[in-house]
Amino acid sequence: MRVLARLSARADAAYDHAYHHKLRGRIWRALEGTDFDEQHESGEPPGFVYSNIFPWGEMQEGDERNLLVASPHESLLANVAEDFQADRELNVGEMPLWIDEVSALDVDVGEPGTSGTIETGTGVFVRLYEHHREKFGIEDGHGDSPTFWRPEHSIEPFTAAIEDNAQQKHDLFAPDYLPGPTEVEGPLFDGYELLKTYALPLTVTQGVEREVVLSKWRFDYTVRDDDHRRHLNLLLDCGVGGRNGLGLGFVNITNE
């Protein structure tokens, strides 16, 4: 489930590349006083993810832009939509925007047998923990600290890490009696095409900035069964990899 906010620029502005922390703050403000407010700063996946302000690039007054917010919780999206409609001003760093329209979108990878492609709209944040490094023979001298995935680590630890992360989200947001991604036979995706890897300074919390390694991907899939469909749709609602509360790992279906 998604909310689409159609926006217009209130003034000329350069694109603010440090939008993540500021946009996260706006969404959490929309959830103040709701049942979801207590999840803020809990350390667990927040149950929502969002796109960047798109299309990307410098804007002039009156230019049209868009923002997507996704979540498996319909009521969370309803609260965000209600707040966006009540407070139409959306200031993301140096980008002053106005919310013209808010609408709901329902996205689905399709019934079993459906093939398609999912592409990342924002960078994927993947950390390899000690058990990943031991399993795949990765030595980097970081001790107990997690390691950012890089292409030289090969694709296998990347797939293991995102499947472990998807299982964590399934444990949090799906009914207990249904099997998660690591509890069934078969991979999440049929194919992985790495588009690029890049480093980005990211404000992870107020006053704390870290340089992180992100990657962009194109994933091919064929829906095996209803469990696999639920797992893929959960990634559309929650994002791939970690730090989804900063808008990382947001994905779209680009071809069916």
Side-chain angles (χ1 to χ4, degrees):
M1 293 173 282
R2 296 182 171 196
V3 162
L4 168 64
R6 295 199 180 278
L7 314 170
S8 56
R10 294 189 290 112
D12 298 354
Y15 200 94
D16 189 343
H17 297 262
Y19 73 88
H20 305 80
H21 179 63
K22 298 158 185 170
L23 188 48
R24 174 177 64 174
R26 177 65 179 86
I27 293 174
W28 277 118
R29 285 199 300 277
L31 296 172
E32 283 179 355
T34 73
D35 292 341
F36 300 97
D37 197 7
E38 63 184 31
Q39 295 176 16
H40 196 188
E41 308 295 348
S42 70
E44 294 186 334
F48 66 79
V49 66
Y50 47 89
S51 70
N52 53 25
I53 304 294
F54 66 95
W56 185 279
E58 278 187 20
M59 56 185 74
Q60 295 182 324
E61 183 178 356
D63 279 357
E64 296 179 348
R65 292 291 190 271
N66 301 280
L67 169 67
L68 285 163
V69 183
S71 175
H73 298 298
E74 187 174 354
S75 56
L76 183 151
L77 292 176
N79 282 303
V80 170
E82 182 178 352
D83 185 85
F84 279 6
Q85 289 170 323
D87 181 3
R88 299 275 181 160
E89 203 168 293
L90 183 74
N91 298 315
V92 183
E94 301 301 319
M95 298 187 288
L97 298 154
W98 184 259
I99 301 171
D100 295 316
E101 182 182 346
V102 180
S103 58
L105 295 176
D106 192 16
V107 293
D108 191 322
V109 294
E111 297 184 355
T114 304
S115 294
T117 302
I118 289 174
E119 190 167 320
T120 53
T122 58
V124 177
F125 179 95
V126 168
R127 287 178 293 192
L128 305 177
Y129 293 91
E130 188 171 6
H131 67 281
H132 293 127
R133 296 199 299 264
E134 288 180 356
K135 181 176 181 179
F136 296 103
I138 298 170
E139 297 180 2
D140 66 357
H142 285 186
D144 294 337
S145 301
T147 304
F148 290 117
W149 179 86
R150 293 177 172 83
E152 56 264 34
H153 295 142
S154 79
I155 189 68
E156 288 79 10
F158 177 86
T159 60
I162 66 167
E163 289 185 2
D164 287 349
N165 180 270
Q167 178 67 44
Q168 181 189 14
K169 291 166 182 165
H170 193 275
D171 291 342
L172 287 169
F173 307 125
D176 292 341
Y177 61 87
L178 295 173
T182 64
E183 298 167 332
V184 299
E185 295 292 331
L188 274 173
F189 299 111
D190 303 330
Y192 294 77
E193 180 183 355
L194 176 61
L195 303 178
K196 68 176 180 179
T197 303
Y198 58 103
L200 183 74
L202 198 67
T203 301
V204 294
T205 190
Q206 187 68 39
V208 179
E209 183 176 287
R210 292 176 184 161
E211 185 166 273
V212 300
V213 178
L214 307 177
S215 51
K216 287 201 168 184
W217 294 82
R218 188 174 292 131
F219 305 117
D220 297 323
Y221 67 86
T222 298
V223 182
R224 291 190 304 273
D225 50 30
D226 289 338
D227 288 329
H228 190 212
R229 180 182 186 180
R230 183 178 64 259
H231 302 157
L232 294 173
N233 282 336
L234 185 64
L235 296 181
L236 290 173
D237 291 341
C238 292
V240 173
R243 294 287 187 184
N244 309 121
L246 285 167
L248 301 180
F250 184 85
V251 291
N252 288 304
I253 300 173
T254 56
N255 182 38
E256 290 180 90

